[in-house]
Amino acid sequence: MEGGHTKPDKTELTECWRTTWKAPYIMRLALSAGIGGLLFGYDTGVISGALLYIREDFEEVDKKTWLQETIVSMAVAGAIIGAAVGGWMNDRFGRKISILLADALFFIGAVVMAASVAPWMLIIGRILVGLGVGMASMTAPLYISEASPARIRGALVSTNGFLITGGQFLSYLINLAFTHAPGTWRWMLGVAGLPALVQFILMLFLPESPRWLYRKNKIDEARSILDKIYPANEVEDEMNALQESVEAEIADESIVAESMIAKVKGAWSNPVVRRGLYAGITVQVAQQFVGINTVLYYSPTIVQFAGFASNKTALALSLITAGLNVVGTVVSMAFVDRYGRRRLMIVSMFGIIACLVVLSVLFWQASLHAPAVSKLGSSHFGGNTTCPAYLSAPNAASWNCMSCLHTKCAFCADGTNKYQPGACMISDKGIRGMCRGERRIWFENGCPSKFGIFAVLLLGLYIISYAPGMGTVPWIVNSEIYPLRYRGTGGGIAAVANWSSNLVVSQTFLTLTEALGSAGIFLLFAGFSFLGLIAIYFLVPETKGLHIEEVEKLLQEGYKPKAFKKRKSKVEGSS
């Protein structure tokens, strides 16, 4: 909440469970709002598996990389608009109304996608779902943060991150469950409507955020909620803290205008809020440019890059990364209030960079050792099935599977030993059927590789490095680093930065992979991660255990890393 009578010396997950056991109403609020995180995770994760089957049903999608990227990334484009509008809605209409609207968008989008008869309907459905995702991405942690005691705020906001990763894991399970069901991807995408309906009903019976109510002069309603959250001897302290905060808002005449544009301008012109935005935007952009959503959105495709051709196998192995994401989020919940936000993010970035560099080396080695293309095998099914680029290549004798795939053709591997020389064939449904008809293995996205299992394990290690730090902490930082009067606006700006970065990454991943290769794209993300690490070190302060007004005072002074503060003091002392 806005403050507290005492500053805790130690806060951790056990304190969270102890507090919520005594006041279960807090957990009820957090979990009900957190269903938005579950939907967020499900709708961002489900497309990774559904895309494999959408490509099989719509040949147009299978042939056009940009169309695959568009179906994936339109949810992100919708999320940008949802996050931008969500910031304004949070301040104008409250957190509860924003969550209810997000649920309605989730439900309608799920129905449209499940009923799609053409790629354009899928795109519309993805945009609608994205609008809901964008609103939920900032509203759920904000609502939870404002209904949480300061000493367990980080752990409770992390429950939203846990539900996001849980939703992603659930999406992979649902994908795997419907692999043989009639309609496959329609069920995968349509199931998301159910939790949206459940949350809509639950939120109808929950209150508005006490902070927002107090700001709207509904003081008695705010007090009644605080009575359910805090012990009786702490309620008055919280009411006093809220009163001080609201009085500060009224005194600040620079934010009299309530329009969204005026609030954005006011935020950037205020030094405290601007420094908060530097930190908030930095962590949100860094979260995306480590490449995480390429793994989440395209995980089965990446597994196929690593040499696993079967859709079902790719989905099953993707469960490893999704499951580890959940485990990593639980670790974050346990340690974010003990070791702090900043430290977790920095450690996380070191692990991410190491994993990405090693992944790059593995994929490079896999491309060098890909099975050769056999001239005899390539003509086995008839000359009109052989890849034209292979037939006309002056150096065809040196071709391997990767050379074949780079020309948009496919590799038909030997069924008994997929590492033996195989055939380079035209990528076509009919020819694919001929290849599989002889119990051979059809490769379109990656080549047979003995390094494949190591790549999957490294993806898992990458997720373990990402989830406890960069996975959940950026949302925690953005829920507590802005003054109350700019909380919705600041969170909205940072969320827009997050989703804009997400859009750039998801819309370009397949195209960049074709241009740079799997090794090149992971090395590129390692470079971006290094830049993100430097930015976090210099711009993001530690907010662990601080009340909102203490964070504001920290930003008023301007943040500098401890190492540079010591150096400055030494220089001043010597002079």
Side-chain angles (χ1 to χ4, degrees):
M1 294 304 299
E2 190 61 32
H5 187 61
T6 59
K7 180 180 176 181
D9 295 322
K10 182 180 179 181
T11 55
E12 49 186 303
L13 191 58
T14 53
E15 174 66 17
C16 176
W17 290 119
R18 190 180 300 117
T19 302
T20 53
W21 180 261
K22 293 178 182 177
Y25 186 72
I26 300 172
M27 185 57 76
R28 181 185 163 197
L29 289 174
L31 290 178
S32 297
I35 294 176
L38 183 79
L39 287 164
F40 174 2
Y42 186 90
D43 280 306
T44 53
V46 70
I47 194 63
S48 63
L51 186 63
L52 301 178
Y53 297 95
I54 291 170
R55 287 168 52 186
E56 291 186 355
D57 277 8
F58 298 114
E59 190 169 353
E60 181 183 7
V61 176
D62 189 43
K63 296 295 182 185
K64 297 177 180 177
T65 298
W66 68 266
L67 195 52
Q68 295 173 39
E69 291 173 326
T70 300
I71 290 171
V72 171
S73 62
M74 278 305 98
V76 182
I80 295 171
I81 300 170
V85 174
W88 171 75
M89 282 198 64
N90 270 289
D91 287 341
R92 186 69 181 270
F93 301 108
R95 295 27 167 165
K96 179 177 176 178
I97 293 295
S98 299
I99 292 174
L100 289 172
L101 179 57
D103 286 331
L105 291 167
F106 273 128
F107 186 81
I108 296 169
V111 171
V112 170
M113 289 188 295
S116 295
V117 295
W120 65 266
M121 279 189 72
L122 275 168
I123 291 170
I124 290 174
R126 292 288 289 167
I127 291 172
L128 289 172
V129 163
L131 290 169
V133 165
M135 294 181 68
S137 71
M138 61 163 300
T139 307
L142 187 61
Y143 183 89
I144 295 168
S145 175
E146 294 181 344
S148 306
R151 62 185 179 276
I152 61 168
R153 187 175 60 223
L156 277 179
V157 174
S158 289
T159 63
N160 183 64
F162 171 74
L163 288 168
I164 291 173
T165 56
Q168 289 163 345
F169 183 72
L170 178 64
S171 73
Y172 286 115
L173 284 176
I174 295 293
N175 284 345
L176 197 58
F178 287 112
T179 50
H180 296 299
T184 53
W185 58 269
R186 297 183 186 278
W187 286 103
M188 296 173 182
L189 298 174
V191 163
L194 293 177
L197 186 61
V198 169
Q199 186 184 40
F200 188 90
I201 295 170
L202 287 174
M203 287 303 299
L204 289 175
F205 298 98
L206 289 176
E208 181 51 79
S209 156
R211 283 179 182 166
W212 188 84
L213 288 171
Y214 202 104
R215 179 67 183 89
K216 297 300 179 181
N217 207 31
K218 298 179 180 181
I219 298 171
D220 291 338
E221 291 182 46
R223 181 184 289 275
S224 68
I225 298 168
L226 293 180
D227 283 335
K228 297 177 181 179
I229 295 173
Y230 283 89
N233 62 331
E234 294 182 21
V235 172
E236 201 58 42
D237 291 329
E238 292 302 318
M239 291 297 294
N240 291 335
L242 285 175
Q243 181 181 359
E244 291 174 8
S245 178
V246 170
E247 287 176 351
E249 288 180 43
I250 295 172
D252 188 350
E253 296 181 356
S254 66
I255 61 160
V256 171
E258 287 292 325
S259 71
M260 183 165 58
I261 294 175
K263 282 212 165 189
V264 170
K265 287 182 178 178
W268 282 109
S269 63
N270 185 313
V272 172
V273 183
R274 187 169 62 248
R275 288 172 185 142
L277 284 168
Y278 288 157
I281 292 173
T282 290
V283 296
Q284 295 286 35
V285 172
Q287 184 190 64
Q288 295 304 318
F289 274 90
V290 300
I292 183 59
N293 279 316
T294 61
V295 175
L296 298 179
Y297 297 161
Y298 298 104
S299 183
T301 303
I302 294 173
V303 171
Q304 290 184 335
F305 288 161
F308 298 92
S310 163
N311 286 352
K312 189 172 182 179
T313 302
L315 286 170
L317 288 173
S318 296
L319 274 173
I320 296 174
T321 58
L324 290 174
N325 202 12
V326 177
V327 172
T329 308
V330 173
V331 172
S332 176
M333 292 172 65
F335 294 109
V336 70
D337 283 324
R338 178 185 292 181
Y339 296 113
R341 289 72 160 131
R342 175 181 162 84
R343 183 182 298 178
L344 277 182
M345 285 191 292
I346 289 175
V347 171
S348 177
M349 288 297 269
F350 274 111
I352 287 168
I353 292 167
C355 289
L356 287 171
V357 170
V358 178
L359 267 172
S360 177
V361 172
L362 270 180
F363 276 107
W364 175 60
Q365 285 294 314
S367 66
L368 291 180
H369 295 88
V373 172
S374 165
K375 184 176 181 180
L376 181 63
S378 296
S379 60
H380 174 73
F381 296 98
N384 60 345
T385 65
T386 307
C387 176
Y390 173 72
L391 291 173
S392 61
N395 61 337
S398 65
W399 272 40
N400 65 12
C401 169
M402 199 61 69
S403 311
C404 179
L405 299 192
H406 283 163
T407 63
K408 304 287 187 180
C409 290
F411 186 78
C412 182
D414 188 296
T416 56
N417 186 351
K418 62 184 179 181
Y419 304 114
Q420 292 293 323
C424 185
M425 307 177 74
I426 295 171
S427 180
D428 176 83
K429 282 187 177 180
I431 299 173
R432 179 178 62 198
M434 293 167 63
C435 173
R436 289 176 175 172
E438 293 192 0
R439 296 188 176 181
R440 298 190 179 193
I441 307 172
W442 184 260
F443 289 87
E444 283 184 295
N445 294 317
C447 294
S449 171
K450 294 179 181 179
F451 298 99
I453 191 63
F454 298 107
V456 172
L457 291 174
L458 263 169
L459 280 174
L461 190 58
Y462 165 83
I463 290 291
I464 281 288
S465 299
Y466 167 85
M470 293 307 297
T472 56
V473 176
W475 299 106
I476 297 172
V477 169
N478 275 281
S479 72
E480 61 191 15
I481 203 166
Y482 309 110
L484 173 60
R485 55 191 176 275
Y486 287 111
R487 181 79 42 83
T489 305
I493 292 171
V496 168
N498 181 289
W499 289 108
S500 298
S501 304
N502 190 335
L503 178 62
V504 171
V505 172
S506 60
Q507 182 66 42
T508 59
F509 175 68
L510 293 178
T511 302
L512 283 173
T513 301
E514 288 181 358
L516 302 176
S518 302
I521 193 68
F522 284 113
L523 191 60
L524 180 65
F525 285 136
F528 286 141
S529 300
F530 179 71
L531 294 177
L533 173 62
I534 294 173
I536 288 170
Y537 180 77
F538 283 103
L539 296 175
V540 183
E542 180 55 71
T543 56
K544 179 191 75 168
L546 299 181
H547 302 309
I548 302 302
E549 63 272 18
E550 292 175 305
V551 175
E552 190 168 346
K553 288 178 182 178
L554 177 65
L555 293 174
Q556 279 177 344
E557 299 170 1
Y559 175 72
K560 285 187 178 180
K562 287 183 179 179
F564 285 82
K565 285 182 180 178
K566 291 178 181 178
R567 184 176 300 175
K568 182 179 177 182
S569 62
K570 287 179 181 179
V571 171
E572 289 175 349
S574 62
S575 61

